[in-house]
Amino acid sequence: MYSIIVVPAPAAGPGSQVRLAPGERLHFGRATPQTAGAPRHHLDIPHPGVSRTAGEIGATASYWTLSNFSAASTYVVENPEGAGEHIKIAPGRVDAPVPFEFSRVVLPAGGDLLDFSVWAPRHDYVERAYSASAEEGEPTALAFPLDRSKRYFLVLAALCESRLRGAPHAPLPTVDRIVERLRPLWPAVNRASVQWNIDYLAVKLRLKPGPDTADAGPRLNGKKESLVSLALRFDLVREDDLTTLTSPTTPTTLTAPTPLPEAR
């Protein structure tokens, strides 16, 4: 069974893909190395700025590794579905594990940036061995308890929308743009209510102390950026959640008490 598929860019059709089974390795670089005996997997990248032996990919059962044989260039592995999520592979690093299901490997080559894709569709997840009723003691508290039926979640989804839709470096929407975006679902929305919910999220996600504490905490500059960074890093808002911005929602699901610490 193949565990990863390497797709050169630009793709030259299905025949250009390299399929690796667990335990197999793929070298990549400017020229195919001369080897004795059985042929070795190799991805040729014909660019004068790429080393002849630039690196190596290793396949395992549920993830893959990347080795950077360059003496000076850092390679970047991007998650195209992760709103800017990426890892850097330093020069000389060997067998760095890559956890992404879909990846774009970016190589600096002179004045160009070259890339190829790696698909790792086999991801294993743990299955609960015991039902919740069989466990003893109190249930584990959620780290970031968010109610997707509340207005604050609509505001958070609107903040994250552009970056989740494939523009990881897009500027965040202004409060006025959020008001415009949410008005079809929330007719009474205005600047004050959006800003209130942003402030509430900063408290709920523990970026700021709550109003029941004497310590007001330091001033939080870049509040929207901090919220979006936290939400995307821990998958508090996913691409699937953007349907809340377009799906009709009954008013009762968006209604809650207005005073802090409850969401309105």
Side-chain angles (χ1 to χ4, degrees):
M1 174 182 177
Y2 296 115
S3 66
I4 71 169
I5 303 171
V6 181
V7 184
S16 66
Q17 298 179 1
V18 180
R19 298 172 180 264
L20 300 177
E24 293 186 327
R25 307 184 77 83
L26 170 70
H27 292 252
F28 59 89
R30 185 168 80 242
T32 303
Q34 299 297 321
T35 59
R40 180 171 58 177
H41 286 300
H42 185 83
L43 175 65
D44 190 18
I45 305 176
H47 190 288
V50 177
S51 171
R52 289 181 175 84
T53 53
E56 184 182 64
I57 289 171
T60 70
S62 57
Y63 67 96
W64 59 282
T65 63
L66 178 63
S67 297
N68 181 354
F69 296 155
S70 169
S73 296
T74 294
Y75 299 161
V76 175
V77 184
E78 300 175 340
N79 177 6
E81 299 185 325
E85 185 181 19
H86 68 279
I87 60 176
K88 296 187 289 186
I89 312 300
R93 176 69 192 274
V94 176
D95 288 336
V98 180
F100 309 143
E101 184 172 355
F102 300 100
S103 305
R104 182 185 299 115
V105 180
V106 182
L107 312 176
D112 299 321
L113 291 176
L114 308 179
D115 67 84
F116 58 86
S117 298
V118 178
W119 302 342
R122 177 177 171 179
H123 275 204
D124 297 332
Y125 295 91
V126 66
E127 294 184 4
R128 293 181 63 87
Y130 304 98
S131 66
S133 60
E135 296 179 352
E136 297 181 357
E138 295 295 323
T140 303
L142 295 177
F144 301 109
L146 293 176
D147 186 340
R148 283 165 168 73
S149 70
K150 303 297 185 185
R151 286 173 175 166
Y152 67 72
F153 190 80
L154 283 177
V155 172
L156 185 59
L159 280 170
C160 298
E161 182 178 22
S162 59
R163 298 190 180 181
L164 283 172
R165 293 197 187 279
H169 305 296
L172 297 182
T174 64
V175 171
D176 289 333
R177 291 293 299 273
I178 295 174
V179 170
E180 180 182 350
R181 182 73 176 92
L182 298 182
R183 182 158 284 125
L185 293 173
W186 181 4
V189 66
N190 54 39
R191 286 178 53 87
S193 57
V194 168
Q195 189 60 57
W196 188 96
N197 279 276
I198 290 173
D199 292 338
Y200 175 76
L201 282 164
V203 173
K204 188 172 185 64
L205 299 182
R206 297 191 291 278
L207 296 175
K208 290 279 290 181
D212 53 341
T213 63
D215 181 14
R219 180 176 177 83
L220 183 61
N221 296 317
K223 189 180 304 181
K224 293 191 298 182
E225 188 70 44
S226 298
L227 285 170
V228 171
S229 176
L230 181 71
L232 297 181
R233 177 173 296 183
F234 292 100
D235 285 340
L236 306 184
V237 181
R238 301 181 177 88
E239 189 174 358
D240 292 347
D241 293 318
L242 297 181
T243 58
T244 61
L245 300 175
T246 56
S247 300
T249 310
T250 58
T252 55
T253 63
L254 297 177
T255 302
T258 56
L260 285 170
E262 294 297 328
R264 60 177 175 180

